[in-house]
Amino acid sequence: MADIENNTGEDTGAAPPPRDLPEPSDHPTLDKWAAAAAKEVKGRDLTWHTPEGIAVKPLYTAADAEGWDPGLPGFAPFTRGVRASMYAGRPWTIRQYAGFSTAEESNAFYRRNLAAGQKGLSVAFDLATHRGYDSDHPRVVGDVGKAGVAIDSVEDMKILFDGIPLDQMSVSMTMNGAVIPILAFFIVAGEEQGVAQAQLDGTIQNDILKEFMVRNTYIYPPEPSMRIISDIFAYTSANMPKFNSISISGYHMQEAGATQVQELAFTIADGMEYVKYGVASGLDIDKFAGRLSFFFAIGMNFFMEIAKLRAARVLWHRVMTQLGARDERSKMLRTHCQTSGVSLTEQDPYNNVMRTTIEAMTAMLGGTQSLHTNALDEAIALPTDFSARIARNTQLVIQEETGMTNVVDPLGGSYYVEALTKQLVDEAWAIVERVEAEGGMAKAVAAGWPKAMIEEAAAARAARVDKGEDVIVGVNKYRLAEEQPIDILDVDNHAVREAQVRRIAAVKAARDEGAAQAALMALQEGARGDANLLALAVEAARARATLGEISAAMEVAFARYGTQPTPVSGIYGGAHADDRRWQGLMAGVGSIGQRLGRRPRMLVAKMGQDGHDRGANLVSSAFGDLGFEVVPGPLFQTPAEAAALAIESDVDVVGASSLAAGHKTLIPELIGHLRDAGRADIKVIAGGVIPAQDYQALRDAGVQAIFGPGTNLVKAAEEVLRLLGHNMPPQDEAAA
């Protein structure tokens, strides 16, 4: 055990301290058990409280599930599964969410995976595409081909699916902001492959409300964004009967820090809002509701996640009944699941194989219809062929070797699972009722309280991890003395962008310019009026208008939406109030303030088109609680804009948050702008998903500290204070 260490300084073989036992009951058999258990743990309580505040008892009996009838698989309310035979009849669809820089490379990857047993495609687009920019736009220099595939026109989409028959393959596309041009390109690519729209099978995410809450790859304000969703419902219900017009996503909520109850409640509430908008636009609820699907995250809380999927089906059946659906298919919640990205660790990354396996089993036992399993290196970079194969084969092994698929809902009837399912239904429904009482999810999102609730949960979780209360093996306990590097996929962003720029120029040179401009003008006028935007975009795509041009045509009518981060306060610091190290840090911040004549000031900068702001908001919250004056920079800044804000705000340090692999381009450019303005004294630190292989290049560029995924924020703060000239006294971590 010499190569691991316990962050508490305790013997790594020691058992965790026992908890209190329940009070004696009026049931003699239970009292007998309680007495025996009390003797074994010396009278302490074993009750566990989840992050949601749910008390989980150490023992469940029939009494806990009394009055709760989960029914049968395939029958309302579908608690036990949407099909009578579930996986005994047909296993879930194996998908791998992937996109690699260019359409050519992504196509080759898809074809290799399909040959190896994958059953459906799940497309990841780069951030420039998500945000409605062509690859030649100056705002996306560092984003093209990073974190997904660049799609600028129908020609890119045709290459993406070259040799993949779209009349035989189910295609899932994670797209929300630029959903109109992407879906139009997919439709036209299918047509030019000889596939009629009615034959196209798959799903478009098209879930904009969760973007305003957590992921932030929106383009337009909420109201026109909701209109876009209604237009897609109308078009697909009339022309694409096999295609799922929305995937209502809780995944990104949990990734942003939501508890399972919050993820469940807000996802169901989002679905309610979309259905109400569709009905308000004149659609028959039973004409489109059967093509709605869902998307949930599967984290490491095994039984909670199983119960969450079961509870989601119960809640959706209840919601759709209340909204007037008559067809049972309209009330049936079908879902895709993905194993958690946030549970993956940069440290000791081979542990991620076990985490993903456990989460995949969880999704199966919860009754998912399709599943993506994350690769072991996705906390650091896009997966390699090696890591993607392990992730895909995880599902194949479960399906082919374990016998798990031979029994329908094997956990059905478990006292614990049924009691937990009922409790999740009740807890989530209370939040849904609050949303409805306040006017629906669109108004709740505009008011900001769901996002604030999620950020508070994220800050509380970070504090528990940093204090060692929530154990992450290999990160805050059983840490390797020395990490060994692993091979990762590195995308040459400059080469990808240059190739995309050339293709855009070729597409524009070959098209009928008059026809393209006429189609774009019709789309612009349609956005000002009430014409169906997807129908108009299909015409523009046929005329070879680009993604950026189609997005810009609607932007003329709708404008581009932007928000300012508002980090929560008091959660992270409150959890550390009695910690001597934290108190020492606060004293250090005060000492620096006395020297400067003001509080130390930090800009937390989010550059590029990545909207994931969990890490940036956690840093802002923690440093604000310490006493820093924090300037939370707006999302989607260019390096020049971030430098200008840093200088204008007279900050002492810039914390650059990177999650989408643009760090090697964006952060050095920021440092260059500061130097050119004569402010090289402003210290730049970097945090987020940054592979260790890139650390030296960033240090050579002038980055003074780098904090990778899973960094303890208390330790990070100590380092920042040292950079600002305050020498922290050595701390006894075990005593702290």
Side-chain angles (χ1 to χ4, degrees):
M1 299 286 284
D3 60 338
I4 59 177
E5 61 181 14
N6 182 326
N7 76 311
T8 65
E10 299 168 349
D11 179 359
T12 56
R19 309 179 182 100
D20 286 323
L21 283 168
E23 293 293 325
S25 72
D26 57 2
H27 193 296
T29 304
L30 286 181
D31 289 345
K32 184 177 180 180
W33 168 81
K39 183 177 180 181
E40 292 172 6
V41 297
K42 299 181 181 177
R44 296 205 198 156
D45 192 8
L46 293 173
T47 301
W48 168 55
H49 289 84
T50 72
E52 295 87 355
I54 294 174
V56 175
K57 302 187 299 182
L59 179 68
Y60 283 76
T61 68
D64 294 295
E66 189 174 355
W68 173 256
D69 181 8
L72 292 171
F75 291 86
F78 308 108
T79 315
R80 301 190 65 187
V82 296
R83 296 186 182 279
S85 62
M86 286 302 287
Y87 310 137
R90 186 182 71 184
W92 66 90
T93 300
I94 297 173
R95 296 187 185 276
Q96 288 302 99
Y97 175 57
F100 293 88
S101 61
T102 66
E104 292 90 344
E105 288 193 30
S106 297
N107 174 263
F109 180 82
Y110 296 156
R111 291 169 73 167
R112 289 194 300 272
N113 277 12
L114 291 171
Q118 185 174 314
K119 300 302 183 184
L121 296 180
S122 190
V123 182
F125 298 95
D126 75 353
L127 289 166
T129 304
H130 273 288
R131 294 272 293 145
Y133 293 114
D134 284 337
S135 296
D136 58 1
H137 197 285
R139 295 196 73 86
V140 298
V141 171
D143 295 298
V144 177
K146 294 286 193 179
V149 60
I151 298 293
D152 294 310
S153 71
V154 168
E155 296 305 318
D156 288 328
M157 193 69 82
K158 288 171 66 177
I159 294 168
L160 189 67
F161 297 115
D162 182 41
I164 299 173
L166 293 178
D167 57 344
Q168 301 173 34
M169 182 58 56
S170 171
V171 177
S172 173
M173 293 179 287
T174 299
M175 178 53 65
N176 302 283
V179 63
I180 287 287
I182 284 296
L183 190 49
F185 292 166
F186 179 70
I187 290 167
V188 175
E191 289 175 351
E192 297 187 7
Q193 206 185 78
V195 179
Q197 293 185 28
Q199 295 177 283
L200 293 172
D201 185 8
T203 303
I204 188 81
Q205 191 163 99
N206 192 27
D207 177 6
I208 204 65
L209 285 175
K210 71 97 170 53
E211 296 295 327
F212 291 113
M213 271 196 288
V214 290
R215 191 162 173 258
N216 300 313
T217 54
Y218 44 71
I219 301 174
Y220 313 111
E223 196 63 34
S225 296
M226 293 297 289
R227 174 200 165 174
I228 285 171
I229 289 170
S230 296
D231 282 0
I232 290 172
F233 285 174
Y235 188 95
T236 54
S237 63
N239 301 288
M240 304 167 69
K242 297 172 64 179
F243 198 80
N244 298 318
S245 53
I246 193 168
S247 176
I248 304 155
S249 174
Y251 182 88
H252 304 95
M253 298 180 199
Q254 188 178 139
E255 293 293 280
T259 65
Q260 279 90 341
V261 167
Q262 291 167 355
E263 177 193 6
L264 176 58
F266 292 138
T267 305
I268 295 297
D270 279 351
M272 290 180 70
E273 194 80 345
Y274 295 135
V275 171
K276 288 189 289 186
Y277 265 78
V279 171
S281 70
L283 296 174
D284 181 332
I285 190 170
D286 286 313
K287 294 294 185 185
F288 71 90
R291 299 313 304 176
L292 308 184
S293 67
F294 287 77
F295 175 28
F296 285 103
I298 302 295
M300 287 295 288
N301 193 338
F302 187 78
F303 289 104
M304 183 72 79
E305 294 288 9
I306 293 167
K308 181 185 76 181
L309 295 184
R310 302 168 100 251
R313 292 191 287 270
V314 174
L315 287 168
W316 189 241
H317 188 272
R318 180 186 297 180
V319 162
M320 294 304 288
T321 301
Q322 290 185 1
L323 292 176
R326 298 168 301 280
D327 187 340
E328 284 299 296
R329 183 172 174 80
S330 298
K331 306 176 187 181
M332 182 189 296
L333 183 146
R334 296 163 300 115
T335 189
H336 170 70
C337 289
Q338 180 173 338
T339 60
S340 173
V342 79
S343 73
L344 303 178
T345 65
E346 177 192 37
Q347 300 87 352
D348 206 358
Y350 292 107
N351 288 335
N352 294 333
V353 176
M354 288 84 83
R355 294 185 177 104
T356 294
T357 302
I358 291 167
E359 291 167 351
M361 291 168 54
T362 308
M364 181 275 296
L365 290 168
T368 191
Q369 278 60 67
S370 67
L371 178 63
H372 164 90
T373 33
N374 287 328
L376 67 94
D377 48 3
E378 288 190 63
I380 310 166
L382 288 171
T384 62
D385 277 4
F386 171 78
S387 65
R389 181 174 179 271
I390 293 173
R392 181 188 62 253
N393 285 357
T394 298
Q395 296 192 53
L396 291 173
V397 168
I398 292 173
Q399 285 189 357
E400 303 288 352
E401 297 186 25
T402 64
M404 291 183 183
T405 60
N406 296 329
V407 175
V408 181
D409 189 28
L411 292 183
S414 157
Y415 301 141
Y416 176 35
V417 170
E418 300 299 356
L420 193 55
T421 300
K422 181 183 184 303
Q423 194 157 8
L424 285 178
V425 167
D426 294 342
E427 297 268 350
W429 188 247
I431 296 176
V432 172
E433 288 186 313
R434 176 187 172 185
V435 169
E436 291 305 292
E438 297 185 18
M441 200 62 193
K443 289 186 178 178
V445 168
W449 66 263
K451 182 177 179 66
M453 187 182 287
I454 291 170
E455 289 187 1
E456 288 175 2
R461 161 69 171 169
R464 292 195 304 273
V465 170
D466 287 353
K467 293 175 69 178
E469 294 173 354
D470 287 4
V471 172
I472 302 178
V473 173
V475 177
N476 64 0
K477 196 172 184 181
Y478 311 115
R479 183 75 180 261
L480 283 171
E482 184 177 349
E483 296 279 348
Q484 296 298 317
I486 63 171
D487 292 333
I488 62 168
L489 182 69
D490 187 28
V491 174
D492 186 344
N493 162 249
H494 296 288
V496 174
R497 185 171 187 270
E498 288 172 0
Q500 289 299 120
V501 169
R502 287 194 297 270
R503 185 174 293 152
I504 292 170
V507 167
K508 289 182 177 180
R511 72 188 182 185
D512 180 333
E513 189 63 25
Q517 293 304 322
L520 289 167
M521 184 56 67
L523 177 59
Q524 183 177 316
E525 291 305 313
R528 290 194 175 103
D530 59 1
N532 188 285
L533 296 173
L534 181 54
L536 293 170
V538 168
E539 293 301 320
R542 289 178 180 136
R544 287 329 190 245
T546 68
L547 176 134
E549 290 174 322
I550 292 172
S551 297
M554 292 187 289
E555 189 177 336
V556 171
F558 299 152
R560 185 171 280 266
Y561 185 73
T563 57
Q564 182 74 27
T566 52
V568 299
S569 63
I571 305 295
Y572 189 92
H576 286 80
D578 298 326
D579 187 319
R580 291 211 308 266
R581 294 175 68 198
W582 183 261
Q583 293 166 357
L585 285 169
M586 293 185 71
V589 171
S591 176
I592 293 172
Q594 288 181 342
R595 174 163 51 84
L596 295 175
R598 58 167 174 78
R599 291 192 292 160
R601 196 173 292 137
M602 170 187 281
L603 167 64
V604 178
K606 280 290 296 180
M607 297 179 291
Q609 298 304 306
D610 171 43
H612 292 89
D613 58 358
R614 175 180 183 169
N617 288 338
L618 283 175
V619 169
S620 294
S621 296
F623 277 79
D625 287 351
L626 269 177
F628 274 74
E629 181 181 339
V630 175
V631 181
L635 300 176
F636 314 124
Q637 284 191 307
T638 64
E641 290 166 344
L645 180 58
I647 294 167
E648 176 189 337
S649 303
D650 191 25
V651 302
D652 306 295
V653 60
V654 176
S657 174
S658 176
L659 290 180
H663 51 273
K664 290 196 292 186
T665 302
L666 299 171
I667 297 176
E669 190 176 333
L670 165 68
I671 293 170
H673 286 301
L674 291 173
R675 285 174 177 164
D676 292 346
R679 291 303 309 271
D681 60 301
I682 296 177
K683 295 169 175 58
V684 175
I685 62 176
V689 180
I690 302 175
Q693 292 90 321
D694 294 345
Y695 281 16
Q696 192 57 50
L698 290 178
R699 291 185 180 113
D700 292 343
V703 174
Q704 299 201 24
I706 302 169
F707 306 108
T711 294
N712 185 305
L713 290 176
V714 173
K715 293 181 179 179
E718 288 174 347
E719 180 63 23
V720 171
L721 261 61
R722 290 189 186 96
L723 288 174
L724 295 178
H726 182 76
N727 292 321
M728 294 296 299
Q731 297 288 333
D732 178 354
E733 291 191 23

PDB file of all heavy atoms in Angstrom, residues 11 144 155 160 218 249 274 306 327 364 379 404 410 435 437 444 495 501 652-653 658 686 720-721:
ATOM      1  N   ASP A  11      -5.155   5.339   8.714  1.00  0.00           N
ATOM      2  CA  ASP A  11      -4.812   4.048   8.142  1.00  0.00           C
ATOM      3  C   ASP A  11      -5.802   3.727   7.035  1.00  0.00           C
ATOM      4  O   ASP A  11      -7.013   3.736   7.241  1.00  0.00           O
ATOM      5  CB  ASP A  11      -4.889   2.983   9.246  1.00  0.00           C
ATOM      6  CG  ASP A  11      -4.579   1.584   8.733  1.00  0.00           C
ATOM      7  OD1 ASP A  11      -4.326   1.422   7.532  1.00  0.00           O
ATOM      8  OD2 ASP A  11      -4.577   0.669   9.572  1.00  0.00           O
ATOM      9  N   VAL A 144     -12.858  25.600 -33.207  1.00  0.00           N
ATOM     10  CA  VAL A 144     -13.212  24.769 -34.359  1.00  0.00           C
ATOM     11  C   VAL A 144     -12.610  23.371 -34.223  1.00  0.00           C
ATOM     12  O   VAL A 144     -11.403  23.210 -34.017  1.00  0.00           O
ATOM     13  CB  VAL A 144     -12.743  25.427 -35.673  1.00  0.00           C
ATOM     14  CG1 VAL A 144     -13.046  24.512 -36.866  1.00  0.00           C
ATOM     15  CG2 VAL A 144     -13.416  26.776 -35.858  1.00  0.00           C
ATOM     16  N   GLU A 155     -22.631  19.976 -47.257  1.00  0.00           N
ATOM     17  CA  GLU A 155     -21.517  19.164 -47.744  1.00  0.00           C
ATOM     18  C   GLU A 155     -20.814  18.467 -46.585  1.00  0.00           C
ATOM     19  O   GLU A 155     -20.418  17.298 -46.697  1.00  0.00           O
ATOM     20  CB  GLU A 155     -20.536  20.026 -48.536  1.00  0.00           C
ATOM     21  CG  GLU A 155     -21.126  20.626 -49.799  1.00  0.00           C
ATOM     22  CD  GLU A 155     -21.731  19.577 -50.728  1.00  0.00           C
ATOM     23  OE1 GLU A 155     -21.116  18.500 -50.896  1.00  0.00           O
ATOM     24  OE2 GLU A 155     -22.825  19.822 -51.263  1.00  0.00           O
ATOM     25  N   LEU A 160     -20.204  13.405 -43.316  1.00  0.00           N
ATOM     26  CA  LEU A 160     -20.356  12.795 -41.991  1.00  0.00           C
ATOM     27  C   LEU A 160     -21.044  11.434 -42.083  1.00  0.00           C
ATOM     28  O   LEU A 160     -20.693  10.498 -41.356  1.00  0.00           O
ATOM     29  CB  LEU A 160     -21.157  13.739 -41.090  1.00  0.00           C
ATOM     30  CG  LEU A 160     -21.247  13.378 -39.605  1.00  0.00           C
ATOM     31  CD1 LEU A 160     -19.880  13.490 -38.927  1.00  0.00           C
ATOM     32  CD2 LEU A 160     -22.261  14.288 -38.901  1.00  0.00           C
ATOM     33  N   TYR A 218     -26.920  28.412 -25.995  1.00  0.00           N
ATOM     34  CA  TYR A 218     -28.058  29.048 -26.647  1.00  0.00           C
ATOM     35  C   TYR A 218     -27.558  30.056 -27.678  1.00  0.00           C
ATOM     36  O   TYR A 218     -26.375  30.433 -27.705  1.00  0.00           O
ATOM     37  CB  TYR A 218     -28.948  29.752 -25.616  1.00  0.00           C
ATOM     38  CG  TYR A 218     -28.161  30.534 -24.586  1.00  0.00           C
ATOM     39  CD1 TYR A 218     -27.485  31.710 -24.913  1.00  0.00           C
ATOM     40  CD2 TYR A 218     -28.053  30.080 -23.268  1.00  0.00           C
ATOM     41  CE1 TYR A 218     -26.747  32.409 -23.973  1.00  0.00           C
ATOM     42  CE2 TYR A 218     -27.325  30.771 -22.323  1.00  0.00           C
ATOM     43  CZ  TYR A 218     -26.673  31.942 -22.674  1.00  0.00           C
ATOM     44  OH  TYR A 218     -25.928  32.624 -21.749  1.00  0.00           O
ATOM     45  N   SER A 249     -33.625  16.930 -21.698  1.00  0.00           N
ATOM     46  CA  SER A 249     -32.360  16.476 -21.126  1.00  0.00           C
ATOM     47  C   SER A 249     -32.157  16.930 -19.691  1.00  0.00           C
ATOM     48  O   SER A 249     -32.095  18.123 -19.406  1.00  0.00           O
ATOM     49  CB  SER A 249     -31.200  16.990 -21.996  1.00  0.00           C
ATOM     50  OG  SER A 249     -29.963  16.676 -21.392  1.00  0.00           O
ATOM     51  N   TYR A 274     -42.621  22.259 -22.907  1.00  0.00           N
ATOM     52  CA  TYR A 274     -42.554  22.037 -24.351  1.00  0.00           C
ATOM     53  C   TYR A 274     -43.892  21.545 -24.900  1.00  0.00           C
ATOM     54  O   TYR A 274     -44.339  21.977 -25.971  1.00  0.00           O
ATOM     55  CB  TYR A 274     -41.451  21.031 -24.681  1.00  0.00           C
ATOM     56  CG  TYR A 274     -40.055  21.522 -24.356  1.00  0.00           C
ATOM     57  CD1 TYR A 274     -39.144  20.691 -23.711  1.00  0.00           C
ATOM     58  CD2 TYR A 274     -39.646  22.810 -24.686  1.00  0.00           C
ATOM     59  CE1 TYR A 274     -37.859  21.131 -23.400  1.00  0.00           C
ATOM     60  CE2 TYR A 274     -38.371  23.259 -24.377  1.00  0.00           C
ATOM     61  CZ  TYR A 274     -37.483  22.410 -23.734  1.00  0.00           C
ATOM     62  OH  TYR A 274     -36.223  22.856 -23.435  1.00  0.00           O
ATOM     63  N   ILE A 306     -31.263   4.276 -10.269  1.00  0.00           N
ATOM     64  CA  ILE A 306     -32.261   3.299 -10.728  1.00  0.00           C
ATOM     65  C   ILE A 306     -33.665   3.808 -10.407  1.00  0.00           C
ATOM     66  O   ILE A 306     -34.565   3.812 -11.254  1.00  0.00           O
ATOM     67  CB  ILE A 306     -32.009   1.930 -10.071  1.00  0.00           C
ATOM     68  CG1 ILE A 306     -30.696   1.329 -10.575  1.00  0.00           C
ATOM     69  CG2 ILE A 306     -33.174   0.976 -10.329  1.00  0.00           C
ATOM     70  CD1 ILE A 306     -30.210   0.135  -9.771  1.00  0.00           C
ATOM     71  N   ASP A 327     -53.665   8.990 -25.953  1.00  0.00           N
ATOM     72  CA  ASP A 327     -52.897   7.833 -26.418  1.00  0.00           C
ATOM     73  C   ASP A 327     -51.867   7.448 -25.349  1.00  0.00           C
ATOM     74  O   ASP A 327     -51.088   8.300 -24.897  1.00  0.00           O
ATOM     75  CB  ASP A 327     -52.206   8.205 -27.729  1.00  0.00           C
ATOM     76  CG  ASP A 327     -51.518   7.018 -28.401  1.00  0.00           C
ATOM     77  OD1 ASP A 327     -51.238   6.019 -27.715  1.00  0.00           O
ATOM     78  OD2 ASP A 327     -51.255   7.113 -29.610  1.00  0.00           O
ATOM     79  N   MET A 364     -29.096   0.143 -17.092  1.00  0.00           N
ATOM     80  CA  MET A 364     -29.808  -1.063 -17.531  1.00  0.00           C
ATOM     81  C   MET A 364     -30.865  -1.459 -16.510  1.00  0.00           C
ATOM     82  O   MET A 364     -32.021  -1.737 -16.857  1.00  0.00           O
ATOM     83  CB  MET A 364     -28.791  -2.186 -17.741  1.00  0.00           C
ATOM     84  CG  MET A 364     -29.397  -3.500 -18.228  1.00  0.00           C
ATOM     85  SD  MET A 364     -30.023  -4.568 -16.913  1.00  0.00           S
ATOM     86  CE  MET A 364     -28.524  -4.943 -16.031  1.00  0.00           C
ATOM     87  N   ALA A 379     -12.291  12.691 -18.983  1.00  0.00           N
ATOM     88  CA  ALA A 379     -12.099  13.799 -18.047  1.00  0.00           C
ATOM     89  C   ALA A 379     -10.977  14.709 -18.519  1.00  0.00           C
ATOM     90  O   ALA A 379     -10.778  15.807 -17.974  1.00  0.00           O
ATOM     91  CB  ALA A 379     -11.770  13.272 -16.658  1.00  0.00           C
ATOM     92  N   MET A 404     -27.881 -10.526 -17.401  1.00  0.00           N
ATOM     93  CA  MET A 404     -28.706  -9.481 -16.795  1.00  0.00           C
ATOM     94  C   MET A 404     -29.939  -9.133 -17.630  1.00  0.00           C
ATOM     95  O   MET A 404     -30.933  -8.642 -17.088  1.00  0.00           O
ATOM     96  CB  MET A 404     -27.880  -8.210 -16.591  1.00  0.00           C
ATOM     97  CG  MET A 404     -26.817  -8.307 -15.530  1.00  0.00           C
ATOM     98  SD  MET A 404     -25.973  -6.711 -15.341  1.00  0.00           S
ATOM     99  CE  MET A 404     -24.758  -7.140 -14.116  1.00  0.00           C
ATOM    100  N   PRO A 410     -35.396  -6.787 -12.923  1.00  0.00           N
ATOM    101  CA  PRO A 410     -35.044  -7.721 -11.837  1.00  0.00           C
ATOM    102  C   PRO A 410     -35.112  -7.113 -10.445  1.00  0.00           C
ATOM    103  O   PRO A 410     -35.207  -7.855  -9.463  1.00  0.00           O
ATOM    104  CB  PRO A 410     -33.615  -8.158 -12.188  1.00  0.00           C
ATOM    105  CG  PRO A 410     -33.099  -7.098 -13.103  1.00  0.00           C
ATOM    106  CD  PRO A 410     -34.278  -6.595 -13.864  1.00  0.00           C
ATOM    107  N   VAL A 435     -42.956  24.939  -9.757  1.00  0.00           N
ATOM    108  CA  VAL A 435     -42.737  25.497 -11.092  1.00  0.00           C
ATOM    109  C   VAL A 435     -44.068  25.909 -11.718  1.00  0.00           C
ATOM    110  O   VAL A 435     -44.223  27.022 -12.237  1.00  0.00           O
ATOM    111  CB  VAL A 435     -42.014  24.477 -11.999  1.00  0.00           C
ATOM    112  CG1 VAL A 435     -42.017  24.950 -13.450  1.00  0.00           C
ATOM    113  CG2 VAL A 435     -40.580  24.257 -11.522  1.00  0.00           C
ATOM    114  N   ALA A 437     -46.928  26.522 -10.241  1.00  0.00           N
ATOM    115  CA  ALA A 437     -47.572  27.596  -9.483  1.00  0.00           C
ATOM    116  C   ALA A 437     -47.006  28.958  -9.857  1.00  0.00           C
ATOM    117  O   ALA A 437     -47.699  29.980  -9.751  1.00  0.00           O
ATOM    118  CB  ALA A 437     -47.412  27.344  -7.983  1.00  0.00           C
ATOM    119  N   ALA A 444     -39.811  30.228 -14.714  1.00  0.00           N
ATOM    120  CA  ALA A 444     -38.878  29.862 -13.648  1.00  0.00           C
ATOM    121  C   ALA A 444     -37.432  30.069 -14.096  1.00  0.00           C
ATOM    122  O   ALA A 444     -36.607  30.582 -13.336  1.00  0.00           O
ATOM    123  CB  ALA A 444     -39.106  28.408 -13.230  1.00  0.00           C
ATOM    124  N   ALA A 495      -5.191  23.243 -38.104  1.00  0.00           N
ATOM    125  CA  ALA A 495      -5.346  22.506 -39.363  1.00  0.00           C
ATOM    126  C   ALA A 495      -6.818  22.267 -39.678  1.00  0.00           C
ATOM    127  O   ALA A 495      -7.256  22.387 -40.833  1.00  0.00           O
ATOM    128  CB  ALA A 495      -4.595  21.183 -39.290  1.00  0.00           C
ATOM    129  N   VAL A 501     -12.388  26.309 -43.460  1.00  0.00           N
ATOM    130  CA  VAL A 501     -12.481  27.601 -44.155  1.00  0.00           C
ATOM    131  C   VAL A 501     -12.400  27.399 -45.665  1.00  0.00           C
ATOM    132  O   VAL A 501     -13.148  28.019 -46.433  1.00  0.00           O
ATOM    133  CB  VAL A 501     -11.377  28.557 -43.654  1.00  0.00           C
ATOM    134  CG1 VAL A 501     -11.286  29.799 -44.549  1.00  0.00           C
ATOM    135  CG2 VAL A 501     -11.629  28.964 -42.204  1.00  0.00           C
ATOM    136  N   ASP A 652      -5.935  41.545  -9.918  1.00  0.00           N
ATOM    137  CA  ASP A 652      -4.600  41.051  -9.590  1.00  0.00           C
ATOM    138  C   ASP A 652      -4.317  39.714 -10.267  1.00  0.00           C
ATOM    139  O   ASP A 652      -3.158  39.383 -10.512  1.00  0.00           O
ATOM    140  CB  ASP A 652      -4.475  40.881  -8.069  1.00  0.00           C
ATOM    141  CG  ASP A 652      -4.835  42.158  -7.334  1.00  0.00           C
ATOM    142  OD1 ASP A 652      -4.102  43.154  -7.495  1.00  0.00           O
ATOM    143  OD2 ASP A 652      -5.863  42.164  -6.636  1.00  0.00           O
ATOM    144  N   VAL A 653      -5.367  38.976 -10.532  1.00  0.00           N
ATOM    145  CA  VAL A 653      -5.199  37.649 -11.113  1.00  0.00           C
ATOM    146  C   VAL A 653      -6.397  37.341 -12.007  1.00  0.00           C
ATOM    147  O   VAL A 653      -7.518  37.760 -11.737  1.00  0.00           O
ATOM    148  CB  VAL A 653      -5.041  36.572  -9.999  1.00  0.00           C
ATOM    149  CG1 VAL A 653      -6.256  36.538  -9.101  1.00  0.00           C
ATOM    150  CG2 VAL A 653      -4.763  35.199 -10.572  1.00  0.00           C
ATOM    151  N   SER A 658     -11.163  26.451 -18.567  1.00  0.00           N
ATOM    152  CA  SER A 658     -11.201  25.786 -19.871  1.00  0.00           C
ATOM    153  C   SER A 658     -11.754  24.382 -19.726  1.00  0.00           C
ATOM    154  O   SER A 658     -11.255  23.592 -18.937  1.00  0.00           O
ATOM    155  CB  SER A 658      -9.793  25.716 -20.473  1.00  0.00           C
ATOM    156  OG  SER A 658      -9.808  24.988 -21.680  1.00  0.00           O
ATOM    157  N   ALA A 686      -4.752  28.916 -14.748  1.00  0.00           N
ATOM    158  CA  ALA A 686      -5.652  28.159 -15.620  1.00  0.00           C
ATOM    159  C   ALA A 686      -6.220  26.982 -14.853  1.00  0.00           C
ATOM    160  O   ALA A 686      -5.536  26.355 -14.034  1.00  0.00           O
ATOM    161  CB  ALA A 686      -4.913  27.673 -16.864  1.00  0.00           C
ATOM    162  N   VAL A 720      -2.797  30.424  -4.915  1.00  0.00           N
ATOM    163  CA  VAL A 720      -3.065  31.770  -5.437  1.00  0.00           C
ATOM    164  C   VAL A 720      -2.561  32.822  -4.457  1.00  0.00           C
ATOM    165  O   VAL A 720      -1.970  33.834  -4.868  1.00  0.00           O
ATOM    166  CB  VAL A 720      -4.572  31.945  -5.723  1.00  0.00           C
ATOM    167  CG1 VAL A 720      -4.893  33.404  -6.056  1.00  0.00           C
ATOM    168  CG2 VAL A 720      -5.000  31.047  -6.874  1.00  0.00           C
ATOM    169  N   LEU A 721      -2.759  32.605  -3.180  1.00  0.00           N
ATOM    170  CA  LEU A 721      -2.261  33.574  -2.199  1.00  0.00           C
ATOM    171  C   LEU A 721      -0.745  33.657  -2.227  1.00  0.00           C
ATOM    172  O   LEU A 721      -0.166  34.749  -2.068  1.00  0.00           O
ATOM    173  CB  LEU A 721      -2.757  33.202  -0.795  1.00  0.00           C
ATOM    174  CG  LEU A 721      -3.995  33.983  -0.314  1.00  0.00           C
ATOM    175  CD1 LEU A 721      -5.181  33.743  -1.234  1.00  0.00           C
ATOM    176  CD2 LEU A 721      -4.353  33.600   1.127  1.00  0.00           C
TER     177      LEU A 721
END
